[in-house]
Amino acid sequence: MTVIAVRKDPQRLTITVEAEFDASPERVWQLWADPRQLERWWGPPTYPATFTKHDLAPGSSVAYYMTGPEGDQLHHYWEVLEADGPHRLLFRDRFANADGTPNTDLPMNTVRVVIEEVGHGHTRMSIESAFPSAEALEQVLGMGMEEGTKQAVGQIDAILGEDAFAKR
Amino acid sequence: MVVFVQIGPPDFDRMFGALADHTRRDIVRRAISAEEGVVELASHYPMSFAAVQKHVGVLERAGLVTKERIGRRKVVHTNLERLRVARRLLDQYEELWRCRIDRMTELIAETRRATDDRHRRP
């Protein structure tokens, strides 16, 4: 269990996931900085990601596509806003057309990664994703991200608290 | 391609907007038991009947509550399914990242094993 906290803010449409690893910040940074490692974890097994361009310099971009079970491909790219290895990364994850050009019709989400050493050999990484609208969140989830549906359908609503639903 | 719980056409921004207010969240919570009308609901809050009625209107337009006629009374009733949909969106995104972090952990463990093996070699 390496996820230590999850904070969801339905009003601001942000979700922050914090995780701890038995590794140095440099090792954790490599998960983002090495495209071959990214390919091992970014996409779910049913939608593996292939990175075709990877340059984490601010102002540069990272391009990738995800291949679905039917061979369908979903193209994306990151607009790198800030990068300061091994501690900080800020990028916009956006949709692209099949030829790799940006598809500005579809929404983006902004991802902020902070990596910090919390003790010898232990590193904490927090990932905050922010969505411009609930529709954007829905679209990001709907496009090739089906693993989320493993979540039980009847998830209890934290907005109301568990007791509220128990009454029913 | 898209395996995603079918969500009708709710207006998500309106829904989240409606839930962004403390009083409205409280109304939604109370209306789960579907026992009270607007008059009874209004008695719980230090504000005018009209103000509470307005809040109920916002929730109604967001599809979060409906007014239901029970006998001679009209009770406010929470639409639980709609509420779960709002929550589920963020839950799904959480699950996406949990799966990613599991894969990251596995990858780190794998490289550690490889390094250990190299060190063990004479």
Side-chain angles (χ1 to χ4, degrees), chain B residues 7 12 20-21 31-32 43 46-49 56 59 65 67 72 74 80-83 91-92 97 102 105 109 117:
Chain B
I7 293 176
F12 286 110
D21 179 87
I32 286 171
S43 70
M47 58 180 83
S48 67
F49 172 78
V56 171
L59 290 167
V65 303
K67 286 200 197 111
R72 294 175 57 192
K74 231 180 182 181
L80 282 180
E81 197 40 51
R82 182 58 63 92
L83 202 55
D91 284 345
Q92 285 185 341
W97 272 103
D102 284 348
T105 307
D117 284 351

Side-chain angles (χ1 to χ4, degrees), chain B residues 76-108:
Chain B
V76 181
H77 169 65
T78 296
N79 181 349
L80 282 180
E81 197 40 51
R82 182 58 63 92
L83 202 55
R84 291 196 177 109
V85 160
R87 174 59 188 210
R88 210 176 299 150
L89 277 175
L90 286 175
D91 284 345
Q92 285 185 341
Y93 198 71
E94 171 185 345
E95 183 63 16
L96 170 88
W97 272 103
R98 283 185 182 274
C99 292
R100 280 178 175 166
I101 284 164
D102 284 348
R103 292 193 290 270
M104 289 178 181
T105 307
E106 177 49 38
L107 194 52
I108 285 176

Side-chain angles (χ1 to χ4, degrees), chain A residues 38-116:
Chain A
L38 261 170
E39 286 172 345
R40 299 275 308 274
W41 67 265
W42 182 263
T46 45
Y47 262 87
T50 306
F51 285 76
T52 52
K53 182 190 173 199
H54 187 278
D55 181 359
L56 288 188
S60 189
S61 63
V62 169
Y64 68 97
Y65 61 87
M66 299 172 82
T67 310
E70 260 109 67
D72 50 307
Q73 290 187 345
L74 297 164
H75 291 258
H76 294 253
Y77 71 105
W78 297 350
E79 231 174 79
V80 182
L81 303 173
E82 287 171 31
D84 182 15
H87 296 296
R88 278 165 197 285
L89 181 64
L90 178 67
F91 63 90
R92 286 196 197 108
D93 189 18
R94 314 188 65 149
F95 290 92
N97 300 309
D99 62 1
T101 54
N103 181 340
T104 46
D105 296 339
L106 286 170
M108 55 178 150
N109 71 103
T110 308
V111 181
R112 180 185 296 279
V113 184
V114 177
I115 298 167
E116 281 164 329

Side-chain angles (χ1 to χ4, degrees), chain A residues 2 8 10 15 22 27 40-43 47 129 134-135 141-142 147 151 155 157-158 160 165 168, chain B residues 1-2 12-13 16 25 32 80 83 87-89 91 93-95 99-100 103-105 110-112:
Chain A
T2 55
K8 281 176 263 192
I15 176 162
D22 294 330
R27 175 66 194 93
R40 299 275 308 274
W41 67 265
W42 182 263
Y47 262 87
S129 308
E135 275 79 7
L141 287 170
E147 72 183 315
Q151 195 82 350
Q155 270 296 329
D157 195 324
L160 296 181
F165 277 102
R168 193 103 173 191
Chain B
M1 172 206 63
V2 178
F12 286 110
D13 285 329
F16 281 104
R25 284 200 298 275
I32 286 171
L80 282 180
L83 202 55
R87 174 59 188 210
R88 210 176 299 150
L89 277 175
D91 284 345
Y93 198 71
E94 171 185 345
E95 183 63 16
C99 292
R100 280 178 175 166
R103 292 193 290 270
M104 289 178 181
T105 307
E110 207 177 279
T111 49
R112 196 186 304 119

